[in-house]
């Protein structure tokens, strides 16, 4: 069997350098509220369903969701897009039960087995990505964080659990040729930065994996949501690569303005991108941008396609592998989406009358500003930023109790149980413009 290998600053496969051009699946094995149109992190979404319909029906709903979201028809479409890598975010709950942490759950392996079978059949590499660790490795919703504080870094037992989980996953899949490797931890964020902690965790995971798997690449992300690599001092393992995220419009929102001059935006994109590369080139390892993309919801499609194209041209210019965010979601930023008349989208439209991801962030920020007025002195912007995550964690509970559960009960189980089928490929549409744009970068002329 042949495996992808690291040689210097390039990926090699079957003796030739290889650039990865791919997609992140999206909100599948780790549910993200803005992508699905449903408020609160995954754990509270599932709690709401259980509290409304009982454990058995809730489990049935989410099993249907997982099996409907990705299947053979999806892989036929992915193959048509020409991609060669699929990044798959997952929540640790698929492998570990908080109430019985000593026992590995077969559930996660079952889904990975099915996915790897499809990846092998369609010759698309797989990169599993730990998107949600116990306690949350960052303070935001996408790590399934319930408190707004990254408690993963406060408890050594959480880190030990993830070391053992990755070892078990690596042991199971050590001989899978269409597994690229392991994206150890999505978007770490240490508050406050603790000297050596990220480096130590990565070294412990690497040592554990190498006890059972010497075939696959280990991919490491930096601090501050995979953008700051100062906390990684050295890479001792030869088969280790670096993966980062590139979201310039998150930090400079005016770049998304439809009237912003495209050439000037390109220049700023390249400036920000080059500065990131400069911080990673010290490792002299292959680089893979694990996430990049722009919200389609609320913007004109042609404008989003311009920004995606400008970003992909940067990756090609600097010969950086990439997986765009994302493949499928509920009409937010994915290429594929449930049709407008589907049950899922009807549910999301009703939810959006009371909640959106944007409104949540605005409310969290406003409430923090209001709280700060009650205290003497000027509150730093850094502290305000961190407090917003904690404030939004409080909002999650209100969203669950006052928005999500009431709508679940209004709809009733019969109607709710039809929602997962909305994500089956035969019930979905896709952006033809996005398909055509990707083809420019994935077809043979770029191989």
């Amino acid at each position: 069997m042949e495996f992808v290998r690291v040689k210097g600053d390039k990926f090699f496969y079957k003796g030739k350098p290889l650039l990865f051009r791919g997609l992140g699946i999206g909100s599948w094995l780790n549910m993200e509220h803005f992508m699905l149109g449903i408020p609160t992190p995954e754990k509270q979404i599932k709690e709401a369903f259980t509290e409304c319909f009982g454990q058995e029906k809730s489990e049935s709903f989410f099993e249907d969701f997982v099996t409907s979201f990705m299947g053979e028809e999806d892989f036929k479409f992915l193959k048509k897009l020409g991609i060669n890598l699929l990044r798959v975010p997952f929540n640790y709950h698929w492998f570990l039960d908080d109430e019985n942490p000593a026992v590995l759950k077969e559930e996660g392996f079952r889904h990975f087995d099915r996915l790897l079978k499809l990846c092998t059949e369609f010759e698309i590499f797989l990169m599993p990505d730990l998107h949600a660790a116990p306690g949350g490795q960052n303070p935001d919703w996408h790590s399934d964080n319930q408190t707004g504080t990254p408690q993963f870094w406060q408890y050594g037992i959480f880190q030990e659990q993830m070391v053992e989980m990755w070892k078990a996953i690596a042991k199971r899949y050590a001989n899978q040729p269409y597994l690229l490797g392991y994206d150890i931890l999505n978007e770490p964020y240490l508050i406050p930065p603790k000297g050596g902690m990220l480096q130590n965790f990565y070294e412990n995971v690497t040592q554990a994996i190498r006890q059972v798997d010497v075939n696959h690449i280990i991919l490491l992300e930096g601090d501050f949501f995979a953008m700051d690599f100062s906390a990684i001092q050295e890479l001792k393992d030869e088969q280790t690569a670096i993966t980062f995220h590139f979201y310039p419009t998150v930090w400079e929102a005016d770049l998304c303005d439809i009237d912003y001059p495209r050439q000037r935006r390109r220049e700023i994109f390249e400036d920000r991108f080059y500065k990131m590369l400069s911080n990673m080139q010290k490792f002299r390892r292959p680089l893979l941008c694990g996430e990049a993309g722009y919200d389609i919801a609320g913007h004109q499609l042609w404008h989003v396609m311009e920004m995606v194209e400008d970003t992909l041209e940067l990756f090609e210019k600097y010969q950086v592998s990439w997986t765009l965010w994302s493949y499928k979601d509920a009409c937010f930023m994915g290429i594929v989406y449930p049709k407008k008349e589907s049950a899922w989208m009807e549910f999301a439209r009703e939810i959006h009358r009371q909640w959106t991801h944007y409104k949540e962030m605005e409310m969290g920020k406003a409430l923090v500003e209001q709280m700060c007025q009650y205290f003497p002195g000027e509150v730093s912007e850094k502290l305000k930023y961190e407090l917003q995550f904690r404030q939004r964690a409080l909002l999650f509970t209100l969203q669950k109790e006052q928005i999500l559960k009431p709508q679940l009960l209004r709809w009733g189980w019969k109607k709710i149980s039809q929602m997962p089928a909305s994500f089956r490929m035969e019930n979905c549409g896709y952006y033809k413009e996005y398909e055509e744009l990707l083809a420019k970068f994935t077809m043979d002329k770029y191989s």
Side-chain angles (χ1 to χ4, degrees):
M1 290 180 288
E2 298 233 22
F3 301 91
V4 180
R5 306 298 286 171
V6 167
K7 292 184 180 179
D9 62 355
K10 292 181 174 58
F11 295 110
F12 272 74
Y13 183 60
K14 295 184 176 179
K16 296 180 180 179
L18 175 63
L19 270 184
F20 287 102
R21 303 175 176 95
L23 293 168
I25 282 183
S27 187
W28 179 42
L29 297 179
N30 182 64
M31 303 181 79
E32 296 197 38
H33 63 359
F34 80 105
M35 300 181 73
L36 296 175
I38 297 178
T40 79
E42 178 179 291
K43 186 174 187 292
Q44 286 169 285
I45 291 174
K46 291 185 174 180
E47 286 174 351
F49 275 77
T50 300
E51 290 163 12
C52 288
F53 304 119
Q55 187 72 28
E56 184 176 344
K57 288 180 178 177
S58 178
E59 290 178 357
S60 171
F61 178 93
F62 292 106
E63 177 67 18
D64 286 349
F65 171 78
V66 170
T67 55
S68 297
F69 198 99
M70 288 298 294
E72 185 173 355
E73 293 303 312
D74 292 280
F75 272 81
K76 289 179 181 177
F77 183 70
L78 290 168
K79 193 67 175 179
K80 181 183 175 184
L81 292 175
I83 69 164
N84 59 5
L85 178 62
L86 200 58
R87 181 175 183 256
V88 181
F90 70 96
N91 192 309
Y92 82 96
H93 280 135
W94 289 106
F95 293 92
L96 290 178
D97 186 337
D98 290 332
E99 296 183 8
N100 192 16
V103 179
L104 274 173
K105 295 164 64 176
E106 185 63 24
E107 198 172 10
F109 292 114
R110 176 166 55 89
H111 294 307
F112 274 25
D113 287 349
R114 181 171 74 94
L115 196 61
L116 268 166
K117 183 178 179 182
L118 287 165
C119 283
T120 302
E121 179 181 348
F122 288 90
E123 298 182 321
I124 296 173
F125 287 94
L126 170 67
M127 181 173 67
D129 140 51
L130 177 56
H131 224 71
Q137 73 275 12
N138 63 51
D140 222 339
W141 79 89
H142 41 80
S143 64
D144 199 16
N145 195 313
Q146 314 298 303
T147 67
T149 300
Q151 295 180 322
F152 180 75
W153 305 109
Q154 297 177 7
Y155 298 96
I157 186 63
F158 290 160
Q159 296 165 48
E160 291 172 12
Q161 285 179 319
M162 293 302 93
V163 170
E164 292 304 313
M165 184 194 72
W166 271 122
K167 182 178 180 180
I169 292 171
K171 183 177 181 180
R172 176 88 159 224
Y173 301 115
N175 294 314
Q176 288 285 345
Y178 277 96
L179 178 69
L180 167 63
Y182 312 106
D183 187 348
I184 299 302
L185 194 62
N186 181 70
E187 296 193 351
Y189 187 92
L190 285 73
I191 304 177
K194 299 181 178 179
M197 185 168 285
L198 188 61
Q199 175 89 30
N200 291 340
F201 174 68
Y202 282 158
E203 288 184 1
N204 290 339
V205 175
T206 299
Q207 290 170 11
I209 288 175
R210 290 300 179 230
Q211 291 174 22
V212 295
D213 182 355
V214 296
N215 296 323
H216 293 112
I217 295 168
I218 291 171
L219 297 106
L220 306 181
E221 301 189 23
D223 194 6
F224 196 72
F225 303 111
M227 295 186 294
D228 178 359
F229 286 82
S230 60
I232 303 176
Q233 301 303 316
E234 61 177 329
L235 302 179
K236 299 178 181 178
D237 179 80
E238 291 184 359
Q239 292 304 310
T240 294
I242 293 294
T243 178
F244 65 99
H245 295 176
F246 184 62
Y247 287 118
T249 59
V250 169
W251 309 104
E252 298 176 73
D254 62 317
L255 293 173
C256 269
D257 192 322
I258 198 168
D259 295 321
Y260 203 99
R262 185 177 184 183
Q263 182 56 37
R264 178 58 183 152
R265 186 175 59 238
R266 282 174 170 164
E267 292 169 359
I268 294 174
F269 276 11
E270 182 162 15
D271 175 73
R272 307 300 183 262
F273 187 70
Y274 186 78
K275 286 177 179 176
M276 288 192 69
L277 293 188
S278 299
N279 291 327
M280 295 179 284
Q281 287 172 342
K282 63 182 180 181
F283 299 113
R284 295 184 176 86
R285 298 297 177 92
L287 303 179
L288 187 153
C289 182
E291 289 186 25
Y294 308 94
D295 303 351
I296 296 173
H299 297 92
Q300 293 191 38
L301 182 61
W302 67 265
H303 177 52
V304 176
M305 292 300 96
E306 278 190 355
M307 293 191 289
V308 172
E309 183 176 26
D310 293 345
T311 302
L312 292 180
E313 286 177 352
L314 274 178
F315 296 156
E316 297 296 332
K317 176 179 178 178
Y318 290 95
Q319 291 291 281
V320 170
S321 294
W322 48 268
T323 53
L324 291 181
W325 191 261
S326 66
Y327 168 59
K328 185 189 286 188
D329 67 12
C331 293
F332 195 84
M333 61 190 301
I335 299 172
V336 177
Y337 51 85
K339 292 176 181 176
K340 183 178 179 181
E341 64 273 16
S342 69
W344 196 287
M345 293 312 302
E346 182 185 351
F347 187 90
R349 281 193 297 274
E350 291 191 19
I351 286 284
H352 284 165
R353 294 192 183 104
Q354 304 174 80
W355 170 90
T356 68
H357 169 50
Y358 297 120
K359 290 179 182 177
E360 175 189 296
M361 291 193 295
E362 290 170 5
M363 188 180 297
K365 184 176 181 179
L367 289 170
V368 167
E369 292 288 349
Q370 185 176 350
M371 284 192 302
C372 289
Q373 294 177 12
Y374 291 98
F375 293 87
E378 184 175 348
V379 180
S380 71
E381 291 302 316
K382 182 177 185 297
L383 180 56
K384 287 180 183 178
Y385 177 73
E386 294 172 359
L387 288 173
Q388 286 176 39
F389 295 110
R390 300 189 193 184
Q391 181 62 64
R392 285 160 60 189
L394 295 176
L395 296 178
F396 293 153
T397 300
L398 289 169
Q399 292 163 8
K400 172 189 164 188
E401 296 298 329
Q402 305 304 121
I403 298 176
L404 180 54
K405 286 172 65 175
Q407 182 162 323
L408 290 172
L409 293 172
R410 278 196 302 272
W411 270 40
W413 173 248
K414 184 176 180 181
K415 194 172 181 181
I416 290 294
S417 65
Q418 298 170 5
M419 288 173 57
S422 304
F423 279 99
R424 292 177 188 160
M425 193 59 182
E426 62 265 28
N427 297 325
C428 288
Y430 67 93
Y431 297 109
K432 184 71 175 175
E433 297 90 338
Y434 213 148
E435 176 194 28
E436 292 171 352
L437 175 59
L438 277 181
K440 290 176 58 178
F441 295 90
T442 58
M443 294 299 111
D444 289 344
K445 66 176 182 177
Y446 276 102
S447 297

